[in-house]
Amino acid sequence: MSSTLKAVRGTRDLLPPETALWDRVEATARSVFARYGFGEIRTPILESTELFARGVGEETDIVSKEMYTWEDRARAASEKAQSLTLRPENTAGVVRAYIEHKLGDTGHLQKLYYIGPQFRRERPQKGRYRQFFQIGAEVIGPVTSGSESPLRDAEVLEMLATLLDELGIERASESNGYKGWKLTLNSVGSATDRPRYVAALREALAPIKHLMCEDNQRRAETNPLRVLDSKDEADQELIDRLPKIADYLDDDSKNHFAQVLAALDACGVPYTVNPRLVRGLDYYTRTTFEFTVETGLGTQNALLGGGRYDGLSEMIGGPKAPGIGFAIGEDRLILTLQAQATEAAEKKLDAYIAPMGVEQNAAALALARDLRREGLSIEVGDGSFRLKKSFEVADRVARSIVILGENEVASGEITVKNFATGEQKKIARKELAEILQ
RNA sequence: GCGGCUAUAGUUCAGGGGUUAGAACGCGGGUCUGUGGUUCCCGAUGUCGAGGGUUCAAAUCCCUCUAGCCGCCCCA
């Protein structure tokens, strides 16, 4: 017995009417990004494995255990098999394209956004899929283009606040029980601060880690920064006494962070500084941030995350090109909007054309064609339907019904009925479009 | 990757070894061969997730698998 074929684990089909919400989210994002001077970039979903190993970091969970990676087949003896990977995130790909196309040589600041699928092989859950969608943006360029400016950090954060506002996601406040979006940020220091701090952390952890939970003992070895955002109650006191990142920031980094916060204040973007906020990707430097929401996502409450990556370009063999970016979990954004249950009125078509008898089918389709070209949304029934059925279907999908029968053809007039008012009248063809508006 | 819960009609769910598996919504039809949205009357919903086992008998009990969900890990 053959089992039926299904979408593979962790992937899913998106169907109407839900896709209308995806459209709205993407259209809103494009509109906001355009106003901030961003242009769209589309990079391949397939990249050389090495890009992620070097960019995202060999030791990160993403690279070490979550990537879809395989050896591409060598087609000729002279060709070498190459290790390929379905992109688990998009920043590395964008920076690779920036380097490959020598965008830095333009001397201009690059503002790029993308919308597309990403792939990570994790255990699926609500808000966490193996193929998931990210909407992201990157600001990157040579230092002389101003790419290192704290103004860029603040601009990106303010843009995100605007986007969430325009999408209708509430800000966390007392009145909504802090269920709206919340921005948390931190500075993890420059490319030299960060290793210094990690070394200090390792040193501090060495004598006390055996007192901690199993997870934290492992983290102390593999990724000491992660110990900081451990949720283990018993370990909190020990964690509080660990060195603070703020004490390892050089003056430039401190100054940079202070300017970001000042600009956020000036723009009225609410935030919380969390000195323990660390992000899982190796490339982050200085400003890191995440937006969380409490609605609809369970424990997957990180709606988007991002940060500065001043050294990423060099890590993958490019010129110095500081940058800052973010990735929004589009799936999570959709879930949040659905949970907010601002049930938008169901969109109905302008009219439904009901041909009376199959001999009217051709005329009905021609009429539909004309009305559609006039900008109306139209559905056409079938002449074999009884009129009662036509009315039922029409009432479900459209605001008005247009009846096309022998009487109408004979008289040259068309019968139109509006479902909301119940008003029915016979009108001339040329008045039709206006009546249906 | 680890631990737990779940899988029955298009949808949301009830049923818990014994003939033919139920409700609501939705769907089809009728009262009405040119009139919907509210009524009224009929009807069909289905390999009970897949495979195997126990039993005279399995949707029901057991095992395996698959998928979803919850928590962890981690992240968007």
Side-chain angles (χ1 to χ4, degrees):
Chain A
M1 174 128 10
S2 67
S3 50
T4 47
L5 289 167
K6 298 190 294 188
V8 309
R9 185 158 153 92
T11 72
R12 60 210 179 117
D13 301 307
L14 300 171
L15 308 170
E18 194 191 357
T19 36
L21 184 54
W22 287 73
D23 277 346
R24 182 170 81 78
V25 164
E26 290 171 18
T28 305
R30 288 176 194 278
S31 154
V32 170
F33 295 162
R35 277 177 268 153
Y36 287 76
F38 283 77
E40 184 179 7
I41 182 171
R42 302 191 189 193
T43 66
I45 63 170
L46 223 55
E47 297 274 2
S48 161
T49 302
E50 194 187 350
L51 173 65
F52 303 115
R54 285 163 63 183
V56 177
E58 203 88 59
E59 300 306 316
T60 61
D61 279 26
I62 292 176
V63 173
S64 64
K65 58 186 201 199
E66 295 173 4
M67 296 203 303
Y68 285 96
T69 296
W70 70 97
E71 286 297 310
D72 197 29
R73 187 178 318 192
R75 298 200 178 262
S78 57
E79 197 183 344
K80 226 171 67 188
Q82 188 185 10
S83 179
L84 300 180
T85 292
L86 288 176
R87 63 185 186 197
E89 59 95 57
N90 218 328
T91 299
V94 169
V95 174
R96 192 224 80 234
Y98 170 92
I99 297 165
E100 184 168 337
H101 300 285
K102 298 183 168 39
L103 298 182
D105 289 358
T106 63
H108 303 151
L109 188 67
Q110 302 293 317
K111 293 175 125 180
L112 305 164
Y113 78 87
Y114 59 84
I115 298 175
Q118 318 292 336
F119 304 84
R120 291 182 201 171
R121 200 181 185 291
E122 294 180 275
R123 182 112 160 207
Q125 227 172 290
K126 189 181 201 175
R128 191 173 69 188
Y129 307 99
R130 289 181 171 185
Q131 174 178 307
F132 60 105
F133 292 81
Q134 287 189 331
I135 299 175
E138 315 291 346
V139 181
I140 183 172
V143 174
T144 52
S145 69
S147 60
E148 229 172 356
S149 168
L151 177 139
R152 293 301 158 202
D153 306 39
E155 183 184 38
V156 158
L157 290 165
E158 187 277 312
M159 178 170 80
L160 284 164
T162 296
L163 174 57
L164 295 180
D165 286 347
E166 289 195 14
L167 284 170
I169 295 180
E170 302 177 321
R171 297 182 176 207
S173 70
E174 220 175 331
S175 62
N176 59 26
Y178 300 99
K179 294 234 188 274
W181 64 258
K182 207 159 61 186
L183 162 62
T184 307
L185 72 168
N186 187 27
S187 177
V188 295
S190 70
T192 50
D193 298 338
R194 185 165 163 162
R196 267 201 309 136
Y197 176 61
V198 172
L201 213 48
R202 276 188 201 280
E203 204 173 310
L205 281 166
I208 58 164
K209 68 183 180 205
H210 66 277
L211 302 170
M212 297 182 142
C213 70
E214 220 171 284
D215 278 334
N216 279 332
Q217 293 191 33
R218 178 178 48 77
R219 290 170 175 144
E221 291 296 328
T222 58
N223 197 345
L225 287 173
R226 292 240 70 91
V227 176
L228 295 177
D229 62 358
S230 161
K231 289 168 205 145
D232 191 287
E233 294 282 335
D235 291 354
Q236 293 308 310
E237 206 179 315
L238 289 168
I239 293 167
D240 282 336
R241 278 183 296 195
L242 291 170
K244 302 279 184 293
I245 180 71
D247 299 329
Y248 287 78
L249 300 185
D250 61 28
D251 288 346
D252 276 355
S253 290
K254 277 185 199 158
N255 191 15
H256 183 100
F257 195 50
Q259 287 188 57
V260 173
L261 300 185
L264 289 177
D265 289 336
C267 294
V269 177
Y271 60 85
T272 309
V273 174
N274 177 2
R276 287 187 182 180
L277 175 72
V278 291
R279 315 238 80 239
L281 283 53
D282 278 1
Y283 54 62
Y284 284 122
T285 54
R286 298 198 193 180
T287 314
T288 61
F289 57 86
E290 66 183 22
F291 284 65
T292 54
V293 288
E294 300 302 324
T295 353
L297 295 178
T299 50
Q300 312 297 322
N301 70 344
L303 188 60
L304 69 94
R308 185 161 271 289
Y309 42 85
D310 293 336
L312 176 55
S313 175
E314 289 144 295
M315 285 161 73
I316 57 179
K320 183 170 172 61
I324 180 161
F326 62 83
I328 304 169
E330 190 175 3
D331 309 76
R332 293 180 182 183
L333 193 55
I334 298 283
L335 286 168
T336 304
L337 287 167
Q338 288 169 338
Q340 271 193 200
T342 42
E343 197 75 36
E346 205 179 326
K347 272 207 190 121
K348 290 202 168 186
L349 300 171
D350 292 319
Y352 180 95
I353 299 175
M356 301 292 301
V358 290
E359 52 291 342
Q360 310 302 338
N361 271 353
L365 194 64
L367 177 61
R369 175 203 111 115
D370 293 343
L371 292 172
R372 285 164 173 159
R373 289 202 172 195
E374 288 171 50
L376 294 164
S377 53
I378 305 291
E379 181 57 284
V380 196
D382 189 276
S384 65
F385 292 173
R386 289 169 308 105
L387 190 61
K388 177 184 162 71
K389 172 165 173 155
S390 291
F391 264 81
E392 285 168 357
V393 176
D395 190 33
R396 192 170 66 240
V397 304
R399 291 166 29 229
S400 296
I401 184 168
V402 173
I403 298 164
L404 210 58
E406 281 176 44
N407 301 348
E408 284 74 12
V409 171
S411 68
E413 290 195 307
I414 293 170
T415 302
V416 185
K417 182 165 186 174
N418 180 292
F419 288 119
T421 64
E423 189 186 6
Q424 177 168 331
K425 51 184 160 185
K426 288 197 163 193
I427 56 157
R429 162 66 186 90
K430 63 178 187 329
E431 295 174 64
L432 191 52
E434 197 181 336
I435 290 265
L436 294 177
Q437 289 298 341

